[in-house]
Amino acid sequence: MMYRICRGRPFYCIIAYSMPSRSSLLSRRDRFHSQNICSGATTAASPLLESIVDMNRCPIHDPKFAIECRKKMDYSVEDGEGLCHLADFLTPEGTRLLQAEANSVKSQAFYSDESHNAYLEKEDQNYPANHARNMQQRSTKRLVAADQMEFPSSASSSGILLYLYKSPLLKYFVQEVIGVKPLYLQADPMNKVHLNYFSPGDELGWHFDNSEFFVNLLLQAPTSGGEFEFVARSRTETDPNYSIVKQVLDGRKSVTTVEPTSGSLLIFRGKYSIHRVRQVIDGERITAILNYEQQPGYHITHF
């Protein structure tokens, strides 16, 4: 999903991460050697990256692992749902560090309360209000943009989250899983990374994305609620599939549910699969959205 941030009127959500002793890990960045990342070649990870990402469970440097993940994203493959969910992506240390980082900037978050339809488009007067095209959904959360993420007390002002986002190895893995080469870091200083905070009562309503895919890191799972739900291939490029969407919105369609797990990574094709985040009941859901683009120098916001 693509998230648009306009200060005071954001349209979207993000996730956050936590961890102790940020400086001890960041100081190891000096030992990070340049990586030669080529499609089809195994590439070593830096010590810092290995302390954040569980390379044993999720060997993102291994092309074979990326191929297996890509199969899950491919709608044409049996059981392919357009979803790659890695429940143990972050190490316990990485999870704690990213959570701490997210909590350190939470006071800067601004609140978003949006009403929208599943297609994220203006109301179509040709249909009644209770039609699938126009039925309103509610999305609420608190949001911190990338340009608010500065950590002067750490060894690097960019912090662990932005380090992870800029990692050539992670970008390589994402592009291999998506099957889009090359991918670029987003140039927009606000929207390249987002942190989203969902408190009890917050949710993300049913919708399709405008972008081809999104990369979501779940830094902290709530105690109750906050599940990610979707219906794969619920529309096509030419068919909005109003009948299926109406069943979903009315609660009459079975859905696939992904239980929230702290430290998990989710790569999802949301343009043609309707999805939502259920209302958080207890605890806090913190996520980070990492935005990669298919063209260099891309900006969402224009000032």
Side-chain angles (χ1 to χ4, degrees):
M1 172 183 281
M2 179 59 66
Y3 299 99
R4 173 181 295 275
I5 301 178
C6 300
R7 202 72 90 226
R9 183 178 164 77
F11 193 86
Y12 216 20
C13 68
I14 298 172
I15 296 183
Y17 308 35
S18 73
M19 228 173 138
S21 184
R22 181 187 306 112
S23 59
S24 63
L25 287 180
L26 285 170
S27 64
R28 297 164 61 185
R29 191 173 304 179
D30 294 336
R31 306 205 305 260
F32 175 65
H33 57 281
S34 59
Q35 296 175 342
N36 218 351
I37 297 179
C38 303
S39 178
T42 300
T43 305
S46 71
L48 176 57
L49 189 62
E50 287 185 334
S51 69
I52 301 169
V53 177
D54 192 331
M55 293 294 182
N56 292 321
R57 294 177 182 270
C58 302
I60 62 175
H61 59 287
D62 186 348
K64 293 181 181 179
F65 181 70
I67 290 173
E68 290 302 311
C69 293
R70 186 190 297 186
K71 291 178 181 178
K72 302 174 184 178
M73 300 290 295
D74 190 349
Y75 287 139
S76 65
V77 175
E78 185 177 1
D79 296 328
E81 294 184 311
L83 171 75
C84 173
H85 179 231
L86 303 177
D88 300 305
F89 182 74
L90 297 177
T91 64
E93 183 184 18
T95 301
R96 291 192 303 272
L97 183 60
L98 287 168
Q99 286 174 356
E101 201 167 86
N103 285 324
S104 72
V105 296
K106 185 163 61 173
S107 62
Q108 301 181 53
F110 55 96
Y111 187 67
S112 170
D113 187 340
E114 295 284 343
S115 180
H116 57 86
N117 58 49
Y119 298 89
L120 301 184
E121 296 177 356
K122 293 182 179 180
E123 181 180 1
D124 190 332
Q125 299 295 331
N126 294 313
Y127 300 103
N130 64 348
H131 189 275
R133 176 62 178 74
N134 292 328
M135 287 180 65
Q136 292 297 292
Q137 305 294 300
R138 186 169 181 246
S139 294
T140 62
K141 67 275 176 185
R142 286 177 294 162
L143 173 66
V144 168
D147 64 339
Q148 297 173 280
M149 298 177 196
E150 294 187 0
F151 308 99
S153 62
S154 71
S156 170
S157 62
S158 62
I160 294 294
L161 179 57
L162 287 175
Y163 168 79
L164 183 61
Y165 169 67
K166 294 175 182 178
S167 165
L169 188 54
L170 179 59
K171 183 165 68 70
Y172 158 78
F173 174 71
V174 172
Q175 71 183 27
E176 290 296 311
V177 172
I178 297 298
V180 175
K181 306 175 189 178
L183 286 179
Y184 300 92
L185 302 180
Q186 191 177 107
D188 193 307
M190 292 174 61
N191 289 280
K192 55 189 175 183
V193 174
H194 311 153
L195 286 170
N196 287 347
Y197 307 81
F198 293 81
S199 299
D202 289 336
E203 62 187 315
L204 193 64
W206 286 111
H207 65 282
F208 295 97
D209 293 341
N210 292 322
S211 58
E212 293 292 335
F213 68 93
F214 71 77
V215 181
N216 184 317
L217 271 170
L218 180 53
L219 303 182
Q220 179 175 300
T223 307
S224 180
E227 301 89 349
F228 178 78
E229 295 185 335
F230 70 98
V231 178
R233 293 162 287 189
S234 39
R235 73 169 178 178
T236 68
E237 184 71 39
T238 58
D239 182 6
N241 214 343
Y242 290 140
S243 61
I244 293 296
V245 171
K246 177 65 171 174
Q247 292 178 42
V248 173
L249 300 181
D250 288 344
R252 296 182 288 110
K253 178 73 175 175
S254 60
V255 303
T256 300
T257 300
V258 179
E259 296 293 335
T261 304
S262 298
S264 61
L265 176 72
L266 191 151
I267 305 175
F268 183 66
R269 295 188 186 277
K271 189 172 185 178
Y272 302 112
S273 296
I274 194 169
H275 53 283
R276 72 169 176 178
V277 173
R278 292 183 63 92
Q279 187 176 100
V280 170
I281 298 173
D282 188 40
E284 185 176 37
R285 175 186 171 104
I286 305 177
T287 63
I289 302 298
L290 311 181
N291 288 320
Y292 300 96
E293 302 297 339
Q294 299 181 43
Q295 60 190 52
Y298 183 83
H299 284 67
I300 292 180
T301 54
H302 302 278
F303 298 106

